[in-house]
Amino acid sequence: MDFAKNVFISICIPAYKRVEYLERLLASISIQEYRDFEVVVSDDSPDNSVQELCAEFSTQFPIKLLKNEKALGTPENWNHAIRHASGEWIKLMHDDDWFSTPTSLREFANAAQGNPGAIIFSSYKNIFLDENREEEVVPPTNRLRWVQLEPATLFSSNCIGPPSVIMHPASLAIEYDRTIKWVVDIDFYVRALEGRKLKHIESSLINVGMSQEQVTVSCVHNPNVEIPENFYMLSKIGFKKMENWLVYDAFWRLIRNLNIRSLREIELTGYTQRIPASIEKMILWQNKIPRRLLRIGLLSKVFMFLNFLMYRKHQ
């Protein structure tokens, strides 16, 4: 395999067996008009299928293949690829996602040249592989303003999207937290955006493959995953972030949607650290409200806001 030096963009790909997906991604890279890049593949596969596929593409662009003797898993496999990148910018791409047009990488490069040090991301399309349909995802402008002012509002809505849609400077001394899976992208974004500009590219430059095989599918509405990970992340960035109503609303909906009725239920999920007083009072409040009313979105929002005002009053 060829090793590139002093490239502008490193396309970092964590791979695991699914060569039919990886081939689609590599094919989308091969037709990019912008060529100042390298590809770094960190391979967790137990066989040589990824290695053989990379060899086929190695004549078309520089590829660094990192064959892991022991599978690193998500997200450490992502970090491993990034650590071995030599580019000025890091473009993480999951192996089931791909560039949507031949000009995608050029648009990312242009945005990077005009916004040094920024966290860059594009709009994208969700491609539902099992349903033969797609949807374009464009973040609301007001949400982006809130995220720029307070990155922790991503708790409320991840308006950026999955890691494949972002690009960041290689100088960013932050890794994906290997202890979490469900909120690993939000955790990274919140930390990366502290003191940095967020630059959005309006064009849909990435196709995101959606299927039942994804790691996050097993985490949805699973309190044993969602509670420990969200609470752990909140403890990392500070409980004071609950003073932002969008962050408060995110945890209100988390408690409501998982039907958490007591502190004991939180402890049973495996979370053993401090539970903030705001969460305790939130649970008590929700217990006083009939569930049928909490299921009505507008009413739930009104109850949340009243509870939030009481919380802020006593701070």
Side-chain angles (χ1 to χ4, degrees), residues 143-151 153-154 159-160 193 198:
R143 278 283 179 178
L144 295 183
R145 292 197 194 100
W146 290 334
V147 170
Q148 188 67 81
L149 291 171
E150 175 50 82
T153 59
L154 286 165
C159 59
I160 292 178
L193 283 169
L198 179 64

Side-chain angles (χ1 to χ4, degrees), residues 277-289:
S278 56
I279 299 293
E280 294 186 30
K281 294 176 181 177
M282 185 183 293
I283 293 173
L284 290 174
W285 249 69
Q286 290 197 13
N287 279 340
K288 296 176 181 178
I289 304 169

Side-chain angles (χ1 to χ4, degrees), residues 33-49:
E33 294 177 1
Y34 185 82
R35 305 305 292 183
D36 190 6
F37 69 86
E38 66 173 355
V39 173
V40 183
V41 179
S42 182
D43 181 20
D44 261 0
S45 306
D47 55 30
N48 294 324
S49 57

